[in-house]
Amino acid sequence: MTEVYVGATAEEASEEAARRILAAITEARESRGVAHIALAGGATPKRAYELLAAELDDWSAVEIWFGDERAVGADDPDSNYRMLNETLMAAGGPDPANVHRCEGELGAEEAADAYATLLTERVAAGADGLPVLDLAFQGLGPDGHTASLFPENPGLDATGICAPVHNSPKPPPDRITMTLGVLQAARSIVFMATGESKAKPAKALLGAPDRAVPASLLGGERTVLVADAAALPDYSS
Ligand code: 6PG
């Protein structure tokens, strides 16, 4: 059953999301000596990343990954790496050497292969051979997508570690995503959703797994949804 936290405002949700990411980092470092954290792109998490940078001084043994990236270079306005650089990293976050950028400028196929190789080299795998992240921090799209796993898009059924995505309904069309299998294998999953445009997918995320709502395929015991009241009007924490 997915746990739910509802803040009155997006700021409260951002504060809780930062706390949850920090808790995952702390648990991983204490238990395994290293924290492998995959972060979401998009706009929702920006404030949470700024708050996280303010909360954590010691970033040793924290390795940052991207649940997805657009097939663009690091300086492109669409780049999730650029967004993280302007938020978490600019506010005094992790050592850039420990922020593993997906090289979107290579094109979706080549970048997906290169990122999968890097994950294999640096993240211990589980019994199924997939890297086990300590946290998958996920955004939620109005259509129920998460990372770049979109309804009725072939990327949703991709096997392996990373997959190229084309014809994304959310621009830009060409992307790279961690596969559903890798995200499902994470030790913990935290979604963040704010605003009334996320109310329908947030409710669906808490329902039964449904391929029409890719995010719902990541629900369950290890999953938390952090939302504001606009995204979950029928809930109160
Ligand atoms: C991306 C994101 C994507 C995002 C959702 C929500 O690269 O676009 O990873 O999955 O998290 O689309 O985006 P917003 O937070 O901007 O609403």
Side-chain angles (χ1 to χ4, degrees):
M1 178 75 173
T2 299
E3 181 187 346
V4 176
Y5 168 91
V6 185
T9 62
E11 181 71 11
E12 285 186 12
S14 299
E15 290 165 358
E16 179 67 13
R19 279 193 290 268
R20 296 280 180 159
I21 298 169
L22 183 54
I25 289 171
T26 303
E27 187 279 330
R29 284 196 297 198
E30 288 175 355
S31 304
R32 292 172 292 281
V34 62
H36 289 284
I37 308 293
L39 294 178
T44 302
K46 289 181 178 179
R47 179 63 178 144
Y49 295 159
E50 292 169 350
L51 293 168
L52 176 62
E55 279 296 309
L56 183 59
D57 293 326
D58 171 13
W59 283 86
S60 59
V62 178
E63 301 211 12
I64 300 292
W65 301 89
F66 292 83
D68 71 331
E69 183 54 282
R70 292 79 178 279
V72 296
D75 297 329
D76 190 294
D78 279 335
S79 165
N80 285 335
Y81 177 86
R82 175 171 168 170
M83 181 273 283
L84 201 79
N85 198 26
E86 294 171 349
T87 54
L88 183 69
M89 297 163 76
D95 179 340
N98 291 338
V99 178
H100 302 299
R101 184 176 74 88
C102 178
E103 300 167 285
E105 67 275 17
L106 297 175
E109 279 71 14
E110 194 175 336
D113 287 346
Y115 212 50
T117 299
L118 191 58
L119 279 157
T120 302
E121 288 170 354
R122 299 191 68 89
V123 185
D128 58 4
L130 296 178
V132 179
L133 297 162
D134 293 294
L135 173 67
F137 181 66
Q138 301 297 123
L140 180 64
D143 61 356
H145 79 261
T146 191
S148 285
L149 301 171
F150 293 94
E152 299 177 18
N153 186 291
L156 180 59
D157 297 312
T159 56
I161 297 171
C162 293
V165 173
H166 300 291
N167 306 311
S168 161
K170 176 181 181 183
D174 297 324
R175 293 158 167 260
I176 301 94
T177 190
M178 286 183 181
T179 60
L180 179 64
V182 166
L183 295 174
Q184 286 175 325
R187 291 187 176 90
S188 65
I189 299 168
V190 174
F191 279 91
M192 184 178 177
T194 58
E196 59 186 2
S197 72
K198 307 299 176 77
K200 186 175 176 214
K203 190 169 186 177
L205 165 55
L206 299 177
D210 178 357
R211 281 177 49 79
V213 184
S216 70
L217 304 177
L218 291 176
E221 293 304 317
R222 290 169 298 160
T223 303
V224 180
L225 170 57
V226 174
D228 67 357
L232 277 180
D234 302 332
Y235 277 77
S236 59
S237 280

